[in-house]
Amino acid sequence: MISPLALVLALLGAAVVMFALNRPRMDVVAVIMMVALPMTGVITMSEALVGLSDPNIVLIAALFVIGEALVRTGVAQRLGDWLTARAGASEAKMIFLLMVIVAGVGSFMSSTGVVAIFIPIVLRIARNARIPAGRLMMPLSMAALISGMMTLVATAPNLVVHSELMRQGHEGFSFFAFTPFGVPILVLAILYMLVARRFLAPGPAPELPERAALTGWVADYDLAGREHRLRLRPGSILAGKRLDTLDLRASAGLNIVAIERGSRFRRKLIHPRAETVLEPGDILLIDQRTNGASDFDLDGFAQAHDLIALPVSGQWFTDTAQEIGMAQIIVPPTSRLIGRTVTQARFRSTYDLSVIGMKHGTKPVPDSVLDEPLRAGDTLLTVGPWRAIRKLADERRDLILLDLPAEADEAVPARHRAPLAIGVLALVVVLMVWGIVPNVQAALFGCLLLGLFRCIDMAGAYRSIHWQSLILIVGMLPFSLALQRTGGVEIAAQALLGALDGASPRLVLAAIFAVTGLLGLFISNTATAVLMAPVALAVASALDASPYPFAMTVALAASAAFMTPVSSPVNTLVVGPGNYRFADFLRIGVPFAVICMAASVVLVPLVLPF
């Protein structure tokens, strides 16, 4: 009869093979294991699902939401802009600042999310500074992985190890318990990359087809000659009037696209509505096409209404791209709008967007687009808030979103709420550091505040959660319990100690780091932490030593996934943009993994004595 341990090990081996082949997906493998493990009789189905009630799973989900709020409010984007301004054309300075910023941001949000945010930023920097993208992408991924060594909540393996400590009756790690190791390793990584970058492939990454920029659309639709900006003087007859009472579209052939209004601290763009009341100092962005732009007497209109004409260009649209966007929309043959004009379709009222350009086929419509009947296949150029454009993307019947400008990638929906998002993040960190409430409660409280302050909405919160990662952790956690019940953990610990008979505790730490790192070549670093944490604690118990240096070594080794492009999603993301090969990760990652192991073996016992 097959022993329970053999059955569990067979399932574990099957999981490792499927992880290595990446077939099926990792989360599917985890679900398979949740179903299969209870069939061995070692654990019950309730125990296989216990991960779903683990507070750390909820904590990880909440951290995804907090990270998304930092993206939506533009905090991460502003850091990228600051990096661009500070680094200039110096590659060494670029690498230093990039790695520091990414490691800092990644300390409080998903490292995968940080890399996704910074890839377009780094590509833009590389293009402007004429630096091959491959020289910057590897430092980006390395810093993102090291960010997992900065705080307790920086990466899932830290929380897995923390949870295993508490499950075995020990006190878990504090919020900044990882920082004394992460900071020195980050310094070593920066110094290492300043030297190792010359060994990366010198060629630039293959360029993807560039999407049109707003300035290009302004030229395509000949908008520069038709768009005007007019400021209301204090005595203007338009001040204090509602837009629906003025009806400038009918009286002067003017379509108000947006209103710039200054406030005490910043300028904001207001999308015009019928009930909007104009105020002195408002700047109107207008589109004029009734009889052609050349027939419009801008100076006469401004003088008659006590207005000041201001310049407008394609660059103006680019500069305001965080608040106002453009989109090209196509009218499908099944649209109910065919044969109706934009005005008759009540386009602005229905979609919250203004139509400022139209093409029949490839030819721009020269006259007023508002009075031109729509045809099947017409392309409309619309302008308005990004939220309205994103909502239009779900439209599939009457209008189809054809294209967004390149600036859409950098637009954030709630940029002006960035201070609130930073304040909430600071509050969550303080609650966690001081231990006022449990970590998961602090994170959930932060999520509620972010929703209250409208830094994120419910749809965005649900989309931000990386469900695949959560299911992977939930599915692999039962292996820890199954291996302990069948004696597998004890056997692994004794085998490790037997191979290192009489070795010093530091050498044992090095062995644990090496085994964890090698296992991470085949399965995810989260799954590696799930399997190695109980083994490390069993080794500590056998040596009658403190469990903390051994647990910390597993966590640090799990984050040191530098050696292959499949060791972590962080590495996988930069392969294409960096034009990397598998050998590039081996050549750069393996030596630094060894350096990281040496640093850990030296530092961990100093901070966490045996």
Side-chain angles (χ1 to χ4, degrees):
M1 184 176 179
I2 302 176
S3 68
L5 176 59
L7 289 174
V8 173
L9 291 177
L11 285 176
L12 178 59
V16 171
V17 170
M18 287 186 282
F19 281 140
L21 296 176
N22 198 28
R23 296 190 182 197
R25 290 181 4 172
M26 289 189 298
D27 52 336
V28 176
V29 175
V31 174
I32 292 173
M33 294 302 117
M34 277 196 292
V35 174
L37 275 172
M39 294 181 180
T40 66
V42 176
I43 63 173
T44 65
M45 193 65 211
S46 297
E47 289 171 331
L49 297 174
V50 72
L52 292 173
S53 62
D54 192 321
N56 288 303
I57 299 298
V58 181
L59 173 59
I60 293 170
L63 292 173
F64 279 123
V65 176
I66 293 174
E68 177 65 13
L70 296 179
V71 175
R72 286 173 60 88
T73 54
V75 174
Q77 185 67 39
R78 290 183 184 184
L79 287 173
D81 294 339
W82 180 86
L83 169 63
T84 304
R86 289 283 182 176
S90 171
E91 184 177 342
K93 191 174 182 180
M94 186 80 64
I95 289 175
F96 170 76
L97 292 175
L98 174 65
M99 295 185 73
V100 169
I101 290 174
V102 169
V105 176
S107 300
F108 304 100
M109 64 179 290
S110 162
S111 56
T112 305
V114 172
V115 172
I117 293 167
F118 273 86
I119 281 177
I121 296 172
V122 171
L123 286 175
R124 186 175 70 239
I125 292 171
R127 183 169 57 250
N128 293 341
R130 300 185 180 277
I131 299 172
R135 303 278 283 266
L136 298 178
M137 286 295 166
M138 190 75 77
L140 169 62
S141 66
M142 188 173 287
L145 288 170
I146 293 173
S147 71
M149 305 177 188
M150 294 293 180
T151 65
L152 173 64
V153 300
T155 187
N158 294 356
L159 292 168
V160 168
V161 174
H162 169 79
S163 179
E164 184 64 23
L165 277 169
M166 298 187 69
R167 196 175 69 81
Q168 295 196 22
H170 304 289
E171 186 177 344
F173 288 121
S174 64
F175 188 86
F176 288 112
F178 298 80
T179 311
F181 314 107
V183 172
I185 290 175
L186 175 62
V187 173
L188 290 173
I190 293 172
L191 296 175
Y192 177 78
M193 285 310 307
L194 290 176
V195 176
R197 60 192 164 114
R198 66 189 63 183
F199 299 110
L200 290 170
E207 293 188 4
L208 299 175
E210 290 190 3
R211 299 204 332 237
L214 289 176
T215 50
W217 282 357
V218 168
D220 288 346
Y221 286 86
D222 193 24
L223 298 181
R226 302 191 320 264
E227 308 307 299
H228 310 283
R229 292 170 68 227
L230 301 171
R231 184 197 299 274
L232 274 69
R233 295 179 185 271
S236 173
I237 60 174
L238 302 182
K241 302 288 183 64
R242 284 169 52 114
L243 293 184
D244 55 355
T245 61
L246 293 175
D247 197 12
L248 294 177
R249 184 182 300 171
S251 62
L254 302 180
N255 180 26
I256 299 179
V257 175
I259 301 171
E260 299 175 59
R261 179 169 294 172
S263 65
R264 183 176 179 182
F265 298 106
R266 64 182 184 89
R267 183 204 64 181
K268 60 182 179 179
L269 284 180
I270 299 175
H271 192 61
R273 302 180 183 276
E275 65 274 13
T276 301
V277 177
L278 297 180
E279 298 179 1
D282 282 354
I283 300 175
L284 310 180
L285 175 66
I286 61 174
D287 177 62
Q288 196 283 331
R289 294 199 64 168
T290 302
N291 299 311
S294 60
D295 295 335
F296 179 59
D297 184 4
L298 176 64
D299 293 334
F301 180 85
Q303 185 175 1
H305 295 83
D306 208 7
L307 306 172
I308 302 174
L310 301 174
V312 64
S313 64
Q315 186 61 42
W316 181 89
F317 287 96
T318 300
D319 292 341
T320 58
Q322 289 294 343
E323 299 168 270
I324 189 170
M326 286 186 181
Q328 288 194 108
I329 300 164
I330 192 169
V331 181
T334 56
S335 176
R336 295 173 298 179
L337 303 181
I338 293 176
R340 302 166 67 184
T341 67
V342 171
T343 302
Q344 292 169 344
R346 297 178 56 82
F347 200 96
R348 177 183 286 177
S349 300
T350 304
Y351 301 106
D352 211 17
L353 295 169
S354 299
V355 177
I356 61 173
M358 181 187 297
K359 287 183 180 179
H360 292 323
T362 59
K363 298 181 179 179
V365 175
D367 298 321
S368 174
V369 298
L370 303 180
D371 301 321
E372 181 74 11
L374 295 173
R375 307 176 189 174
D378 278 358
T379 303
L380 306 180
L381 181 64
T382 60
V383 61
W386 285 112
R387 56 173 175 74
I389 293 174
R390 292 185 178 93
K391 184 178 179 181
L392 186 65
D394 297 329
E395 170 74 38
R396 291 292 185 271
R397 182 176 179 182
D398 295 322
L399 296 168
I400 296 176
L401 183 64
L402 181 63
D403 194 17
L404 292 173
E407 286 83 352
D409 293 335
E410 300 179 9
V412 292
R415 190 177 186 88
H416 58 286
R417 295 188 173 92
L420 292 172
I422 295 174
V424 171
L425 174 62
L427 176 61
V428 170
V429 171
V430 168
L431 292 176
M432 289 181 176
V433 172
W434 287 356
I436 299 174
V437 295
N439 289 341
V440 64
Q441 189 174 358
L444 290 174
F445 181 56
C447 292
L448 290 175
L449 288 179
L450 291 170
L452 177 65
F453 296 146
R454 298 173 65 188
C455 297
I456 192 170
D457 54 28
M458 288 301 296
Y462 281 115
R463 284 195 303 267
S464 69
I465 299 174
H466 198 271
W467 297 104
Q468 182 177 354
S469 298
L470 295 184
I471 295 300
L472 172 63
I473 300 172
V474 170
M476 293 303 294
L477 281 176
F479 266 115
S480 174
L481 179 59
L483 288 171
Q484 285 180 331
R485 283 192 177 172
T486 56
V489 170
E490 187 66 26
I491 292 173
Q494 291 301 326
L496 184 60
L497 291 173
L500 300 169
D501 187 26
S504 67
R506 287 182 185 270
L507 188 57
V508 175
L509 289 185
I512 290 175
F513 193 106
V515 172
T516 304
L518 290 174
L519 193 57
L521 295 177
F522 306 102
I523 63 177
S524 75
N525 56 357
T526 301
T528 300
V530 171
L531 297 176
M532 286 301 299
V535 173
L537 295 184
V539 169
S541 178
L543 293 175
D544 197 23
S546 168
Y548 296 107
F550 297 88
M552 180 61 71
T553 299
V554 171
L556 295 177
S559 288
F562 312 114
M563 293 184 281
T564 73
V566 295
S567 298
S568 168
V570 166
N571 295 345
T572 306
L573 283 175
V574 301
V575 170
N579 196 26
Y580 294 133
R581 297 166 297 175
F582 194 94
D584 291 322
F585 284 90
L586 291 176
R587 185 168 58 251
I588 303 298
V590 172
F592 188 71
V594 174
I595 293 173
C596 201
M597 179 176 69
S600 299
V601 170
V602 171
L603 292 172
V604 168
L606 295 178
V607 180
L608 302 171
F610 293 111

